Amino acid sequence: MATSPILRPSPAAFPRRRTRPKQTSLTLFPTAARHGTRESPSEASAPTPVPDRRTKPAQELVGIARLAASSPCADAKRGTEYFLLPVRSILNRCDSERVPFHWTVNPYRGCEFGCRYCYARYTHEYMELDGGEFESKIYIKQDAGAMVERDLVTKKIWGEHIAIGTATDPYQPAEREFGATRAILVKMAEREGLRLEITTKSNQVVRDIDLLRRISERSSLTINISITTMRARLARLLEPRAPRPDLRMDAVRQLRAAGIAAGVFAMPILPGLTDREEDLDAVARGARDADAQWFGGNALFLMPSSLKEFLPFLEQKFPKLLRRYQEWYGRGGYAPEVYRKEITERVRKLRAKYGLGSLAEIRAPRELQPPQLALGLAAAPEATT
């Protein structure tokens, strides 16, 4: 990838078919691994390597891949390179029927947290990069504030659900220096009638509490804090550069104390690693104690590019689980349906136990008046008789 000499962005740019027997219960891991398991690697083979497409000549690159190849390097530290990526839009339309939102915002491409299981690694392949570089090559969307300001005016987004952080974390370490997320939120705080949802693994979100409070006064805002496990050592293995679980839970507490709608996502729930009853109970109990308004959790989903990274990790750290993951995820991204259903039921029972709601309930929007109508009503003269 062609890069320019180290260049700091200006403050104006960033204001800172194998048949398997029918499963009948959750006891699908008879020797479920505990944190710290060390055994010799199994003989199960790794997935077929993906060809390195970065050897394609630059003149053959198109779209986002060409933009990424020409993006200047803004910084390099902690073994990570940061690039300034020119984009045409910050708001991206999402037409999938499998998600509850219509628009997505991802201020960054790539995520330095380096979660071993991250499903979004495949997004780097759109730039002709390997999914393994997802945490070492971070692309910051240039002029994020100005771009979203234009999008909010030109796109028909009033009252539609906008999800921030669907593929990459908006409060990853790059946010401290580049501030793309804050630049976007500053512009959103100037408008009303938006429906915003932010998902993050970082306690850095509390830095923006004042800004988030202003947004929530004029628009609908919910914040999901993702906490896969309360076991700090296991979390460090699974999510190497993400803040500790207790710091994330404290962020929930601070958000709620500020009157901001916030809840906990135990997502993803990893089979044999974070799915034990006592582990999920600890997360749900912590959510209750932090005054979270909702609690949710879904079983792990693995795209092929993520599987390629995750299986070697399992082989090294949790070899007892390797073969089972290959059987479950080797021919599809989902765990068996019976397992997913039982996880859903387990989460439902935990919500009932600790008096927590579901995000679907919280998402039920309050009536929001179109800004144009509100302006018209305010300007209308008082009726006379």
Side-chain angles (χ1 to χ4, degrees), residues 26 48 83 168-169 188 194-195 202 220 231 300 351 354:
L26 276 175
T48 303
F83 300 89
T168 59
D169 201 298
M188 289 182 165
L194 301 177
R195 298 193 193 283
S202 178
S220 172
R231 290 190 280 164
L300 176 68
R351 281 201 296 262
Y354 290 110

Side-chain angles (χ1 to χ4, degrees), residues 16 57 69 94 109 130 296 301 335:
R16 279 268 47 132
C94 180
R109 276 184 170 268
D130 188 86
F301 172 72

Side-chain angles (χ1 to χ4, degrees), residues 53-286:
R53 295 174 294 172
R54 291 170 295 166
T55 57
K56 183 181 292 186
Q59 61 269 25
E60 294 183 18
L61 297 175
V62 297
I64 190 66
R66 173 170 289 185
L67 290 174
S70 61
S71 297
C73 183
D75 204 352
K77 55 188 175 183
R78 301 186 298 269
T80 303
E81 295 177 287
Y82 303 90
F83 300 89
L84 303 181
L85 180 68
V87 293
R88 298 184 181 91
S89 178
I90 293 295
L91 281 166
N92 301 298
R93 182 75 186 183
C94 180
D95 295 319
S96 173
E97 296 180 355
R98 296 161 60 182
V99 295
F101 42 81
H102 298 132
W103 297 90
T104 64
V105 173
N106 289 290
Y108 304 93
R109 276 184 170 268
C111 183
E112 197 175 344
F113 285 159
C115 301
R116 308 292 188 182
Y117 49 76
C118 183
Y119 85 95
R121 290 181 179 274
Y122 76 96
T123 60
H124 255 39
E125 295 177 355
Y126 293 145
M127 300 186 294
E128 301 291 352
L129 296 172
D130 188 86
E133 295 180 297
F134 188 71
E135 60 264 41
S136 61
K137 293 185 184 295
I138 310 299
Y139 291 80
I140 304 99
K141 294 185 179 178
Q142 222 169 352
D143 301 316
M147 295 297 294
V148 79
E149 184 176 33
R150 186 205 62 183
D151 287 351
L152 290 171
V153 171
T154 60
K155 298 182 184 295
K156 298 179 179 179
I157 49 82
W158 181 85
E160 293 200 9
H161 191 166
I162 303 172
I164 302 175
T166 55
T168 59
D169 201 298
Y171 285 100
Q172 60 179 287
E175 174 64 11
R176 294 190 185 96
E177 182 172 352
F178 298 99
T181 299
R182 183 171 179 85
I184 291 168
L185 294 178
V186 164
K187 295 302 179 181
M188 289 182 165
E190 296 173 357
R191 299 183 65 85
E192 58 184 330
L194 301 177
R195 298 193 193 283
L196 305 177
E197 181 175 335
I198 300 173
T199 300
T200 179
K201 277 189 172 73
S202 178
N203 62 326
Q204 191 183 171
V205 65
V206 302
R207 175 204 66 177
D208 290 338
I209 277 184
D210 289 346
L211 181 56
L212 296 169
R213 189 156 37 193
R214 293 205 305 271
I215 292 174
S216 65
E217 289 171 354
R218 308 181 69 185
S219 297
S220 172
L221 172 67
T222 55
I223 299 180
N224 309 304
I225 303 296
S226 177
I227 305 174
T228 51
T229 177
M230 294 304 297
R231 290 190 280 164
R233 291 180 59 200
L234 178 58
R236 183 61 60 218
L237 277 177
L238 296 172
E239 305 150 354
R241 292 183 178 176
R244 298 195 317 262
D246 61 307
L247 296 178
R248 295 181 232 171
M249 197 66 81
D250 188 59
V252 177
R253 185 176 294 105
Q254 293 185 57
L255 290 167
R256 292 295 300 124
I260 298 169
V264 171
F265 275 178
M267 294 184 187
I269 296 173
L270 284 74
L273 289 170
T274 66
D275 61 348
R276 295 183 307 167
E277 289 190 24
E278 55 265 42
D279 285 347
L280 290 175
D281 189 277
V283 180
R285 184 173 63 254

Side-chain angles (χ1 to χ4, degrees), residues 285-304:
R285 184 173 63 254
R288 188 271 317 273
D289 294 344
D291 195 30
Q293 291 173 274
W294 61 87
F295 174 74
N298 288 327
L300 176 68
F301 172 72
L302 280 176
M303 297 283 285

